[in-house]
Amino acid sequence: MPSRFSPLIRWALLVVLPLAAACARESGPSLAAPEALELARAHKLTIVDIRRPEEWRQTGVAEGAARIDMRHPQFADAVLAQVGGDRNAPIALICRTGNRTSQMQAVLRDQGFTKVYHIGEGMA
């Protein structure tokens, strides 16, 4: 069955529109790195570094941060285990520049996590 749309329009419908919808989504709360570190040191927040292992080796990991690669097949379950099964526990996500954390923040919110922050400036 032939498509009624040109290849360019099909590409836009399949790729661009979902990306635009994701970007239009309300972004969640953020924390500055010094504030997140202070809360983590006081045991009031869990920091999760969502980058890849090779990135952890390149720049190190934020003090006290759990390492959970965002590509992990059960990412939300791994985060849940890190906070002892408490979806209401405060979590701050960190990556290199802050782009991936906002994406994964939405994923965790969709999985029922209620206090997910992103550290906008990231490790860079």
Side-chain angles (χ1 to χ4, degrees), residues 10-104:
R10 281 195 309 266
W11 178 81
L13 291 171
L14 292 172
V15 175
V16 176
L17 289 179
L19 286 175
C23 290
R25 252 185 133 162
E26 179 184 329
S27 64
S30 64
L31 288 172
E35 182 181 7
L37 181 58
E38 182 180 323
L39 290 168
R41 284 178 174 164
H43 305 285
K44 295 180 180 179
L45 175 78
T46 299
I47 299 175
V48 179
D49 190 325
I50 66 168
R51 298 174 300 148
R52 298 181 313 272
E54 58 270 16
E55 293 177 281
W56 299 329
R57 287 188 295 274
Q58 288 172 355
T59 62
V61 177
E63 181 183 321
R67 301 174 198 182
I68 305 174
D69 185 334
M70 67 180 272
R71 301 170 305 163
H72 187 291
Q74 286 86 35
F75 175 77
D77 291 337
V79 172
L80 189 60
Q82 187 66 42
V83 295
D86 183 2
R87 282 187 164 79
N88 297 312
I91 302 163
L93 304 177
I94 192 166
C95 65
R96 182 176 174 273
T97 61
N99 290 328
R100 291 174 281 180
T101 56
S102 58
Q103 295 169 11
M104 298 313 290

